[in-house]
Amino acid sequence: MKQTRLDLEPSALDDTGELLALLDAWVASGWLRELDRALAALLAELQADASPLLLLAAALASHQLGHGHVCLDLRATLADPDFALALPPEGEQGGALLPSRQLADLDVEHWRQALAASPLVAPADGPPDTPLVLDGHSLYLRRYWTYEQRVARAISARLATAQPIPQDLPQRLQRLFPQAPGAHHSDWQKLACALATRGSFTLVTGGPGTGKTTTVVRLLALLQESALDLGQPLRIALAAPTGKAAARLTESIGGQVAGLAVDTAVRQAIPTQVTTLHRLLGSLPGSRHFRHHAGNPLALDVLVVDEASMIDLEMMDRLLAALPTRARLILLGDKDQLASVEAGALLGDLCRDAEQGRYAPSTQAWLEAQGGAPLDADDLLPGDVQHYPLAQHTVMLRHSRRFGEDSGIGQLARAVNRRDAEQARAILRERHDDLHRLRLRSAQDPALERLLLDGHGQAKGYAHYLQVLHETRPEPTLTADDPAWQRWASGVLQAFDGFRLLCAIRRGDWGVEGLNLRIAQALSRRGLLDASTPWYEGRPVLMTHNDYGLGLMNGDIGIALRLPEADPQPGQAPRQVLRVAFPRNDGEAGLRYILPSRLNAVDTVFAMTVHKSQGSEFQHTALLLPERLNPVLTKELLYTAITRARTHFSLIEQRESVFDQATRRAVERRSGLLRALGE
């Protein structure tokens, strides 16, 4: 490899060798991946006279995929290269190496023309065999261009597919959503159900406590009751992107179905088990492909997908291909949460106009007729079918029942979501029973360990689940099949979910990796566990990849426990063996016990990234912010972390400016999906 130069001039954009040396320097700085640089080198081999501007754009397009963008937006990149490319602020690293210096004199039209002139790049309506696609000022890797176009076509087809509507829909809705006497306001849950009856594609978005689960249960009752009246029961499935999200929905949906005011036959025809999208589609191990696809579609009439903000572009493409267009697809989620780790921000893109409504007069009139009341949201704006087709299939749930007006967590989440840093800081300084703020003197401040182990007030820390582990352990003489062991293991897992430390980054004093070791050592000093070996009782672990052989999915969390062996020697007490207890994620009740030696793709999980926490909730959630602003710190990350807390939220910071600056920054995932949909 050519030796990296540290005194590169803008001439790197005129010479292929200089450009590749520049990319080497960016890789060495941790700004690009080796994969990104390798793509540029490959294209240089495919086209001997390739422009350095093409190679740069290709490397950056690959880099953007790694940060969740579907394409490279040339204009946005040149407007603010360091922020657009998620690089550190100038002055922290880099100097002349920073893209803002290297790209300072580049003109966007000159860059676009250099790309368009290459045989490796095709326009949107050009030949289908080039590795790159240029659509306006956006450069795509071919595979992701294809995903985006197929998703847009599939959604458009669904928007144009009408479904039969029961003639007595208002009466059916009234039975499921009885209106209090004298009430004349919009019931957005009822309106979401109404909207979902008439089309093959429905978006329901809302924050925590707005009733997404309640809405979907009553929607399924509405649809199934109508179908049973016709003697044609619907085939329904419920899914979520991760095992944790699927388990959470399974826990909450069963009781709600049992309490529905409908006939027993209707309740029995509503599923209560939720599966993961990978299981639903039938993952083929060692492959990106699935058993269900356009040639072998899912045998379903209705599919509900919860936590849809976590669905990436490729998964959405696979899902839409496998689901018949005549089947209803209902996507639920919080549009304001972080998007998928992989490329795409599907729910955020699709729900762009959810807050403003943008209903056409005909849509609004129909909703008011079915709901029996005028739409009363103050911030609704008018729209039309031609310019806002998605809005006619979208409902935003607006009233949180978990976080009331006096809730500190709710107030803080709303202020952060509005990017109102001053208001958010004021809320943190007020006295709220459910909010706690810890200001650290340094990364080694002992106050951090005290909070993480002991919590504060009524909010618990990690010592609690280990106390449950030790104090409620069954008698060692009990055999492995005694139900006391499963009750104990379930109780430990439940206690562990009472608290979680969330981080924005993985490495360093403020990152997941160092904090997991630090917390384990602190608990070991307390005598609550023995962390002197890699595997120890009480170690919590997070699956980092799917393991189909073990029936475990990426994101599943288990705890190592000493449990009796299944076949003890006759006349002897059972020997205790360390195994990892995982909640089942296949819709069955109970736990799954795995020997540690069989678990290869796991990390210790006292601390986890905010991204990994999506789909989960904890009684007490603490967010630890790094000492300086980082590209991943945005209002979406803060909002997601805050709303993981059910009853208590703790903010741990060293500098107030980091939280305040992050609140003012919003994720801007670049894609062309709405353009492809004609919006």
Side-chain angles (χ1 to χ4, degrees):
M1 181 183 290
K2 182 174 178 178
Q3 185 172 353
T4 299
R5 289 174 47 190
L6 299 179
D7 58 348
L8 290 163
E9 298 296 332
S11 61
L13 303 185
D14 301 318
D15 179 84
T16 298
E18 294 287 345
L19 187 279
L20 292 177
L22 174 64
L23 298 184
D24 286 336
W26 287 356
V27 170
S29 297
W31 302 343
L32 285 189
R33 302 171 297 178
E34 291 279 2
L35 174 67
D36 308 327
R37 196 269 185 199
L39 175 62
L42 173 63
L43 296 181
E45 293 178 9
L46 293 176
Q47 183 186 346
D49 61 345
S51 164
L53 292 176
L54 168 68
L55 305 182
L56 173 66
L60 295 183
S62 175
H63 164 274
Q64 291 291 77
L65 281 173
H67 286 268
H69 303 281
V70 178
C71 58
L72 174 72
D73 185 322
L74 303 182
R75 283 177 171 155
T77 300
L78 293 183
D80 189 355
D82 299 339
F83 181 72
L85 301 175
L87 299 185
E90 187 170 348
E92 290 185 17
Q93 299 186 52
L97 279 177
L98 284 170
S100 53
R101 300 285 189 90
Q102 294 293 320
L103 303 178
D105 298 323
L106 183 57
D107 176 74
V108 67
E109 286 304 323
H110 176 60
W111 198 4
R112 200 188 76 80
Q113 289 168 14
L115 300 180
S118 171
L120 301 176
V121 180
D125 57 353
D129 54 356
T130 60
L132 301 169
V133 176
L134 183 63
D135 185 1
H137 291 86
S138 297
L139 182 70
Y140 291 79
L141 301 191
R142 167 67 65 178
R143 181 153 58 97
Y144 286 87
W145 162 259
T146 302
Y147 290 153
E148 190 171 86
Q149 294 300 302
R150 288 198 304 229
V151 166
R153 287 196 297 270
I155 291 177
S156 294
R158 290 183 171 280
L159 295 180
T161 302
Q163 296 280 0
I165 303 170
Q167 292 185 348
D168 58 347
L169 180 58
Q171 291 75 26
R172 292 177 182 269
L173 287 168
Q174 180 61 25
R175 288 198 297 272
L176 288 167
F177 297 90
Q179 191 168 336
H184 298 289
H185 57 81
S186 301
D187 185 334
W188 291 99
Q189 294 182 15
K190 180 194 289 190
L191 296 177
C193 291
L195 204 63
T197 63
R198 69 177 198 167
S200 292
F201 187 74
T202 305
L203 297 159
V204 181
T205 185
T210 52
K212 295 186 291 293
T213 303
T214 300
T215 301
V216 73
V217 167
R218 297 186 187 185
L219 168 61
L220 296 180
L222 175 68
L223 296 175
Q224 193 66 283
E225 184 180 52
S226 302
L228 288 171
D229 288 347
L230 298 174
Q232 300 171 341
L234 297 172
R235 297 166 297 178
I236 300 172
L238 306 173
T242 67
K244 186 68 175 178
R248 267 194 57 223
L249 184 58
T250 297
E251 289 172 7
S252 61
I253 208 167
Q256 295 211 26
V257 169
L260 281 171
V262 294
D263 291 343
T264 302
V266 176
R267 286 197 297 273
Q268 292 176 343
I270 299 173
T272 56
Q273 299 298 326
V274 186
T275 186
T276 64
L277 289 173
H278 282 81
R279 287 186 183 278
L280 176 75
L281 295 177
S283 293
L284 299 176
S287 166
R288 302 176 76 99
H289 302 292
F290 295 92
R291 184 163 50 86
H292 289 289
H293 45 73
N296 181 32
L298 293 161
L300 292 175
D301 301 303
V302 180
L303 173 62
V304 177
V305 182
D306 194 21
E307 296 289 354
S309 62
M310 301 168 67
I311 304 177
D312 61 81
L313 182 65
E314 182 178 1
M315 175 55 79
M316 182 62 79
D317 174 58
R318 306 296 193 207
L319 180 65
L320 290 169
L323 187 66
T325 303
R326 57 172 174 72
R328 287 182 174 90
L329 175 61
I330 297 109
L331 300 181
L332 303 173
D334 186 345
K335 67 179 179 62
D336 298 311
Q337 279 190 196
L338 281 168
S340 162
V341 175
E342 304 298 330
L346 272 299
L347 192 68
D349 283 346
L350 297 175
C351 293
R352 180 194 64 184
D353 300 310
E355 204 151 350
Q356 290 77 35
R358 292 295 185 183
Y359 295 128
S362 58
T363 304
Q364 180 166 340
W366 186 84
L367 286 173
E368 291 177 343
Q370 306 308 313
L375 303 190
D376 59 2
D378 295 334
D379 48 4
L380 288 183
L381 295 176
D384 59 77
V385 175
Q386 180 180 357
H387 296 98
Y388 301 96
L390 277 168
Q392 316 313 309
H393 299 260
T394 305
V395 169
M396 178 174 169
L397 307 180
R398 298 165 186 269
H399 307 297
S400 176
R401 291 160 177 79
R402 184 192 307 172
F403 303 137
E405 292 299 319
D406 297 329
S407 161
I409 295 175
Q411 291 182 50
L412 182 62
R414 289 190 287 270
V416 166
N417 205 25
R418 294 193 305 268
R419 300 169 68 176
D420 189 339
E422 289 75 18
Q423 180 64 22
R425 179 58 62 184
I427 292 167
L428 285 167
R429 288 173 176 159
E430 295 170 357
R431 293 184 64 86
H432 291 280
D433 292 340
D434 56 349
L435 289 181
H436 177 66
R437 175 175 165 267
L438 175 61
R439 180 79 177 270
L440 301 179
R441 294 189 297 272
S442 70
Q444 303 308 316
D445 192 328
L448 175 60
E449 289 184 10
R450 288 197 296 270
L451 174 63
L452 299 183
L453 271 59
D454 301 321
H456 69 90
Q458 299 298 312
K460 294 179 171 61
Y462 284 126
H464 171 67
Y465 91 94
L466 290 169
Q467 290 163 353
V468 171
L469 184 157
H470 295 301
E471 294 171 6
T472 65
R473 184 194 301 276
E475 291 294 327
T477 55
L478 296 178
T479 58
D481 58 357
D482 193 297
W485 291 108
Q486 177 150 308
R487 288 195 300 270
W488 172 67
S490 296
V492 174
L493 283 162
Q494 183 178 0
F496 180 69
D497 272 350
F499 174 61
R500 193 74 82 251
L501 172 65
L502 305 183
C503 301
I505 56 179
R506 290 197 59 82
R507 296 177 178 84
D509 289 339
W510 309 93
V512 166
E513 294 175 0
L515 281 159
N516 274 318
L517 178 61
R518 181 176 172 183
I519 295 168
Q521 291 173 340
L523 290 167
S524 189
R525 288 193 297 271
R526 285 272 191 98
L528 292 169
L529 52 76
D530 179 3
S532 60
T533 59
W535 280 102
Y536 50 85
E537 185 172 43
R539 181 190 176 192
V541 294
L542 172 80
M543 291 293 298
T544 58
H545 292 91
N546 296 335
D547 189 323
Y548 300 101
L550 296 178
L552 297 173
M553 306 299 287
N554 186 4
D556 286 353
I557 289 178
I559 296 180
L561 299 172
R562 293 200 175 280
L563 297 156
E565 60 183 346
D567 299 307
Q569 294 294 324
Q572 296 183 10
R575 186 170 63 95
Q576 301 226 325
V577 179
L578 196 67
R579 285 181 287 173
V580 185
F582 288 91
R584 298 187 69 93
N585 59 19
D586 55 3
E588 298 295 326
L591 304 176
R592 179 179 280 114
Y593 301 102
I594 309 294
L595 288 170
S597 59
R598 301 185 66 190
L599 294 171
N600 299 314
V602 293
D603 286 337
T604 302
V605 70
F606 290 111
M608 66 194 305
T609 62
V610 177
H611 262 110
K612 286 286 188 181
S613 74
Q614 287 185 267
S616 301
E617 289 180 351
F618 314 101
Q619 293 298 320
H620 177 204
T621 301
L623 173 64
L624 175 64
L625 294 180
E627 62 181 340
R628 62 172 58 91
L629 192 64
N630 183 286
V632 303
L633 287 169
T634 62
K635 68 103 171 175
E636 287 83 2
L637 182 136
L638 299 180
Y639 173 84
T640 301
I642 294 165
T643 55
R644 296 312 87 206
R646 290 191 64 86
T647 59
H648 295 88
F649 175 75
S650 295
L651 176 67
I652 309 169
E653 57 185 351
Q654 184 174 354
R655 299 180 181 175
E656 290 187 353
S657 60
V658 174
F659 178 89
D660 298 345
Q661 291 177 72
T663 299
R664 297 186 181 101
R665 297 171 58 180
V667 170
E668 296 179 12
R669 288 238 171 148
R670 282 169 261 288
S671 79
L673 181 60
L674 291 181
R675 182 174 64 247
L677 283 165
E679 294 228 348

